[in-house]
């Protein structure tokens, strides 16, 4: 059984069919690129998968369970987490608090235990404090743990958002243009980091990238959409030589 | 482990010190019964302001009907006292708890429709709610209508106000520094991101808002048993605004800020009693000056900390700033 499978997924905004007949299969530990020109519907696919938008048709199966209609936070708890195209951090909070937020649903102490600071509170808070630091270390950000998120350089903010998404302990991580706004060197490093994350955490990653050259290097499978419809699926080699894909990109 | 205990010791000492000083001043008559009334008002205002801060400063939802919850708590607890006959302290505690619970239930009832949606619906709905409550109280028999509710037992004392205020502030403080408080703050920071890291934002919005209402109800209960007379006119829109001004002035998201501002804004009108007609004008000017020179409020989002004042290494696990 695939980790994630969509069946004829689609959504209309008024008259506009932003995404339609969207069928995709993601296996455990797979790294898949989702590419397509601007406005093709990539972010909309993420919003559908994460429950931000309710699809007008089709279904989404996560480990065989249809998750259509579930709330975004429920879907996170079931194992899909994401980053945003326009970074969404808790800007005024520290870097480490940003990460700690994402452990919330894995923690157990009750409101009363938190208010009374029972031993369980200290134990769990200590645990997630260390876990958050460990995660930041992976991204070479432990020195920034107490910096305010909004004061980080752009590239670090992107990394923090990925770290935060990982903290939710996903089975599938959705990254929306994580390299946007980065210079080529930063982008290169990021792509390596993404590869590393996949291997280290043994998770599947669906990566949106506007620039198709970038994903070719690291993804084993690529899905290309244009005007909300999948126009090609295959290995980077296959995609490179696909006439429709070349057309969509040249026609842009 | 040792450094974990230090802040507790320091703060406990500070609280007891404040209490003892106030008691001594009262026993020696330096604080006479008139000043004692001001001290009690300060305590009640601290409860109202810190609870509103929970909803507005930490959760980030503008609420304009805090006086409504205070009124519910005041009347419910007054009615409760008039119907029961327990020993004084127990009666006060039971009554204000019932007042708080009533206010909290109304908080949930208002919160569910207003907070399920993203956006600032709460401001409008609480604004309407505050007025509706006032009008309903004005027209009910059990509340005494426009004549007011009279003859409430004077059960509120300096002692009860002091310790209840301390308890409520501590509860809000430790809540805010727990995972649940983090969840509440994350909603203020970015509701969509909050949901995207697995936080049930609707639940926490309703929880924080109704807890704020609950504490406002307790504040109202203490108020009722201190003044012994309740007049619906004293729970109008302007009262809600006064509480909001305390929060804004002290800093949205700072409990110590709310405490300092509550002290200042309770004493100030007493000093300016001759100008009482101009009270709102003075408040407005104060607010305007504040907005120009210190828009984040006296303390912004930070807390005044004795531990830091005494240069003790801060505990990293605290959200210390
Ligand atoms: N909430 C919405 N309401 C109306 N139209 C939308 C909404 N979200 C996306 N769209 C439209 O759907 C199309 C795809 O957008 P998007 O998924 O953001 O593209 P991409 O991420 O591939 O650049 C665009 O035409 C966009 O205007
Ligand atoms: Mg996009």
């Amino acid at each position: 059984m695939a980790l994630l499978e969509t069946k004829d997924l689609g959504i209309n905004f008024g008259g506009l069919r932003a995404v339609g007949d969207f069928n995709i299969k993601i296996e455990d530990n797979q790294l898949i690129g989702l590419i397509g020109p601007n406005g093709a519907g990539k972010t909309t696919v993420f919003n559908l998968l994460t429950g931000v938008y309710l699809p007008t048709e089709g279904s989404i199966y996560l480990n065989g369970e249809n998750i259509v209609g579930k709330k975004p936070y429920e879907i996170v708890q079931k194992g899909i987490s994401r980053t945003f195209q326009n970074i969404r951090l808790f800007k005024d909070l520290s870097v480490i608090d940003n990460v700690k937020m994402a452990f919330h649903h894995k923690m157990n102490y009750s409101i009363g235990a938190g208010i009374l600071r029972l031993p369980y509170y200290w134990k769990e808070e200590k645990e997630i404090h260390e876990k958050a630091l460990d995660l930041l270390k992976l991204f070479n950000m432990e020195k920034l743990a107490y910096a305010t998120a909004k004061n980080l350089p752009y590239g670090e903010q992107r990394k923090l958002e990925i770290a935060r998404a990982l903290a939710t302990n996903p089975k599938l991580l959705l990254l929306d243009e994580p390299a946007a706004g980065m210079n080529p060197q930063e982008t290169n490093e990021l792509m390596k980091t993404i590869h590393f994350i996949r291997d280290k955490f043994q998770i599947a990653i669906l990566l949106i990238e506007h620039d198709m050259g970038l994903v070719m290097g690291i993804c084993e499978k690529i899905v290309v959409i244009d005007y909300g419809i999948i126009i090609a699926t295959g290995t980077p080699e296959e995609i490179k030589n696909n006439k429709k894909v070349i057309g969509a990109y040249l026609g842009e | 482990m040792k450094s974990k205990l230090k802040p507790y010791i320091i703060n406990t000492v500070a609280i007891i010190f404040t209490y003892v000083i106030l008691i001594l001043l009262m026993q020696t008559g330096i604080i006479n019964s008139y000043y004692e009334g001001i001290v009690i008002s300060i305590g009640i205002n601290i409860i109202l302001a810190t609870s509103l801060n929970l909803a507005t400063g930490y959760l980030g939802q503008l609420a304009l009907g805090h006086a409504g919850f205070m009124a519910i708590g005041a009347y419910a607890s007054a009615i409760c006292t008039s119907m029961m006959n327990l020993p004084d302290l127990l009666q006060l505690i039971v009554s204000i708890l019932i007042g708080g619970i009533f206010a909290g239930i109304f908080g949930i009832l208002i919160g569910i429709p207003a907070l399920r949606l993203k956006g600032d619906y709460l401001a409008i709905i609480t604004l309407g709610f505050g007025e509706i409550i006032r009008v309903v109280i004005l027209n009910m028999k059990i509340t005494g209508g426009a004549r007011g509710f009279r003859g409430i037992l004077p059960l509120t004392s300096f002692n009860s106000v002091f310790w209840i205020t301390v308890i409520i502030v501590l509860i809000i403080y430790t809540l805010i520094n727990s995972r649940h408080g983090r969840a509440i703050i994350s909603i203020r920071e970015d509701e969509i991101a909050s949901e995207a890291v697995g936080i049930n934002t609707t639940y926490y919005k309703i929880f924080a808002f109704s807890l704020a209402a609950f504490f406002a109800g307790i504040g109202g209960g203490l108020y009722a048993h201190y003044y012994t007379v309740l007049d619906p006119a004293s729970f109008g829109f302007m009262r809600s605004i006064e509480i909001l001004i305390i929060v804004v002035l002290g800093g949205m998201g700072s409990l110590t800020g709310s405490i300092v501002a509550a002290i200042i804004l309770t004493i100030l009108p007493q000093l300016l009693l001759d100008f009482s007609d101009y009270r709102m004008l003075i408040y407005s000017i104060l607010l305007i000056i504040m907005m120009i020179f210190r828009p984040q409020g006296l303390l912004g989002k930070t807390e005044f900390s004795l531990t830091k004042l005494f240069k003790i290494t801060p505990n990293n696990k605290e959200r210390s700033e």
Side-chain angles (χ1 to χ4, degrees), chain B residues 16-315:
Chain B
I16 292 174
F17 182 74
T18 312
Y19 176 75
V20 169
I21 292 279
L22 285 171
I23 286 283
L24 283 178
L25 287 175
M26 269 176 234
Q27 275 174 357
T28 53
I30 298 174
I31 290 187
N32 58 29
S33 66
Y34 170 68
Y35 289 131
E36 189 182 333
I38 297 177
V39 173
I40 287 174
S41 296
I42 289 175
I44 293 171
N45 281 337
I46 288 175
I47 293 172
L48 294 168
T50 49
S51 61
L52 181 62
N53 209 338
L54 180 61
T56 300
Y58 293 101
L59 179 64
Q61 298 282 326
L62 184 58
L64 298 174
H66 222 49
F69 295 116
M70 183 190 176
I72 292 172
Y75 279 94
S77 67
I79 292 165
C80 176
T81 300
S82 73
M83 296 195 308
M84 290 164 85
N85 195 7
L86 298 170
D88 281 4
L89 181 62
L90 186 64
Q91 180 66 65
L92 178 71
I93 291 172
V94 169
S95 291
I96 62 174
L97 276 179
I98 286 180
I101 289 168
F102 264 87
I105 289 170
F106 273 88
I108 295 172
L109 292 179
I110 289 170
I112 287 174
L115 294 168
R116 274 212 338 240
L117 307 162
K118 293 186 173 63
D120 290 328
Y121 297 94
L122 193 70
I124 298 294
I125 291 181
T126 48
L127 181 75
F129 159 76
E131 284 308 287
I132 290 168
I133 284 298
R134 199 177 53 79
V135 173
V136 167
I137 289 172
L138 202 58
N139 289 292
M140 272 188 2
K141 233 186 187 159
I142 193 167
T143 59
R147 281 180 301 117
F149 193 108
R150 285 161 196 283
I152 305 164
L153 289 177
L155 302 178
T156 300
S157 63
F158 164 75
N159 271 315
S160 49
V161 170
F162 184 89
W163 292 112
I164 290 167
T165 306
V166 167
I167 290 169
I168 289 178
V169 172
L170 286 180
I171 288 176
I172 298 176
Y173 179 80
T174 52
L175 171 72
I176 284 305
N177 288 286
S178 72
R179 74 183 179 107
H180 309 285
R182 269 200 303 270
I184 289 168
I185 292 171
S186 77
I187 295 168
R188 170 191 79 197
E189 292 292 310
D190 188 326
E191 195 172 338
I192 292 172
S194 175
E195 194 123 347
V197 295
I199 291 167
N200 183 346
T201 54
T202 307
Y203 171 83
Y204 279 105
K205 283 199 283 186
I206 294 169
F207 167 68
F209 180 68
S210 48
L211 187 64
F214 171 74
F215 288 141
I218 288 185
L222 289 171
Y223 177 95
H225 293 85
Y226 179 69
Y227 290 99
T228 69
V229 179
L230 295 176
D231 171 8
S234 50
F235 300 106
F237 176 63
M238 280 331 279
R239 165 78 67 170
S240 294
I241 293 299
E242 280 177 38
I243 304 167
L244 186 63
I245 288 176
I246 297 177
V247 173
V248 172
L249 210 64
M252 300 237 224
S254 170
L255 293 178
T256 36
S258 288
I259 293 171
V260 172
I263 295 172
I264 295 173
L265 287 185
T266 312
I267 293 176
L268 199 66
Q270 303 295 332
L271 297 178
L272 302 173
L273 221 47
D274 294 343
F275 306 96
S276 58
D277 289 348
Y278 303 106
R279 196 167 94 214
M280 285 326 282
L281 185 68
I282 293 168
Y283 276 18
S284 316
I285 292 171
L286 215 61
L287 262 189
I288 292 169
I289 295 173
M290 203 70 184
M291 288 302 133
I292 294 171
F293 294 104
R294 212 175 150 74
Q296 70 274 46
L298 285 174
L299 289 179
K301 281 179 194 153
T302 61
E303 296 292 353
F304 169 78
S305 153
L306 285 173
T307 320
K308 250 197 259 163
L309 198 67
F310 295 151
K311 292 233 168 62
I312 287 161
T313 39
N315 184 351

Side-chain angles (χ1 to χ4, degrees), chain A residues 13 16 18 36-45 53 85 176-177:
Chain A
F13 295 112
L16 177 84
N38 251 330
K42 305 181 294 295
T43 300
T44 305
V45 168
Y53 293 158
Q85 189 172 346
D176 197 345
E177 303 204 17

Side-chain angles (χ1 to χ4, degrees), chain A residues 121-138:
Chain A
Y121 158 88
W122 293 106
K123 184 174 162 279
E124 272 200 330
E125 284 292 323
K126 187 164 177 269
E127 273 169 21
I128 67 141
H129 185 78
E130 277 156 17
K131 270 195 195 165
L133 275 181
D134 285 346
L135 202 52
L136 289 174
K137 265 183 208 141
L138 276 185

